[in-house]
Amino acid sequence: MAITVESQKRPEGSKPRALRRAGLIPANLYGHKGTESISLTIEAKTVERLLKRASVNNTLIELNIADAPWRGKTLLRELQIHPAKGTPYHLSFFAVAGHGDTTVEVRLRFVGTAIGVKQDGGVLDTVISELQVSCAPENIPDVIEIDVSNLQIGDSLSISDIAFPEGVTPLAELERLVVSVLPPQISAADAGTETETEPAS
């Protein structure tokens, strides 16, 4: 999923607080030319729309700098949120062209209903919900789907059991647990009923 974002070069000497009051969010672009960076501004409304569709270290973003001769594919590497207002106040983008494979975070989506849950009342325990992978920018998956339909109570899946798209390599240990089916949970009331003894005569 690629998204196009329009930006402008940040005027020299401008103050971030003044920019935000004017409805602009400060940002930086890295990786487009060695260690050089470009200071940018993006309209707050554009940032708001972007964050509804994009995730940090996951979504490919076509960044266009209107007043500079640069346009290219980037990843949103960092998002800073105001601690009191809860609004974004700075973004960092990384240009991915020419850097080979890149590291991204991808959400895991569990599909199907496990046999151990449906038939035996077990509980699906999802240990992790996202995973760090390495892949070419054009191969970044929106999500990685994991079918749990055949899992019975006591069964589990590790990273080595996941079918990754071609060109996508997990960066965590292959033995790391991803999901399992636990036995039915016994409530305190049920447990008390089961342990009751007959009164002494």
Side-chain angles (χ1 to χ4, degrees):
M1 177 178 64
I3 303 169
T4 300
V5 170
E6 301 292 331
S7 64
Q8 301 80 34
K9 289 185 69 174
R10 194 186 315 173
E12 290 189 19
S14 59
K15 303 295 183 182
R17 190 170 295 179
L19 291 171
R20 295 184 189 102
R21 284 198 298 267
L24 299 172
I25 305 298
N28 286 95
L29 169 67
Y30 301 93
H32 70 295
K33 191 177 180 181
T35 58
E36 184 180 328
S37 67
I38 301 180
S39 297
L40 308 169
T41 61
I42 304 175
E43 291 187 2
K45 290 183 179 179
T46 299
V47 172
E48 184 179 343
R49 290 194 297 269
L50 170 66
L51 297 181
K52 288 180 179 178
R53 301 175 59 196
S55 302
V56 173
N57 283 332
N58 174 261
T59 311
L60 205 59
I61 299 166
E62 184 82 15
L63 185 66
N64 180 36
I65 305 175
D67 48 357
W70 195 90
R71 180 188 184 101
K73 292 180 172 57
T74 67
L75 287 172
L76 178 59
R77 281 299 195 200
E78 184 181 15
L79 168 64
Q80 297 181 27
I81 300 293
H82 192 286
K85 298 179 181 179
T87 54
Y89 70 91
H90 191 276
L91 291 83
S92 294
F93 296 90
F94 179 76
V96 296
H99 293 281
D101 285 0
T102 189
T103 299
V104 295
E105 300 281 345
V106 181
R107 290 188 302 109
L108 303 182
R109 177 187 294 159
F110 300 94
V111 297
T113 302
I115 294 175
V117 173
K118 180 166 55 177
Q119 296 183 359
D120 302 315
V123 177
L124 189 72
D125 181 31
T126 54
V127 181
I128 57 176
S129 59
E130 61 181 21
L131 188 62
Q132 194 174 71
V133 302
S134 175
C135 62
E138 61 272 16
N139 290 338
I140 297 175
D142 292 334
V143 297
I144 294 174
E145 292 192 343
I146 301 174
D147 187 357
V148 298
S149 303
N150 294 324
L151 295 184
Q152 302 186 29
I153 289 178
D155 288 347
S156 63
L157 295 175
S158 300
I159 291 176
S160 60
D161 299 313
I162 299 175
F164 289 92
E166 185 176 355
V168 177
T169 304
L171 297 180
E173 294 182 0
L174 297 180
E175 296 77 18
R176 185 177 180 185
L177 184 65
V178 175
V179 61
S180 64
V181 178
L182 303 178
Q185 301 296 310
I186 300 177
S187 68
D190 292 338
T193 301
E194 290 180 4
T195 56
E196 284 181 0
T197 58
E198 295 184 3
S201 56

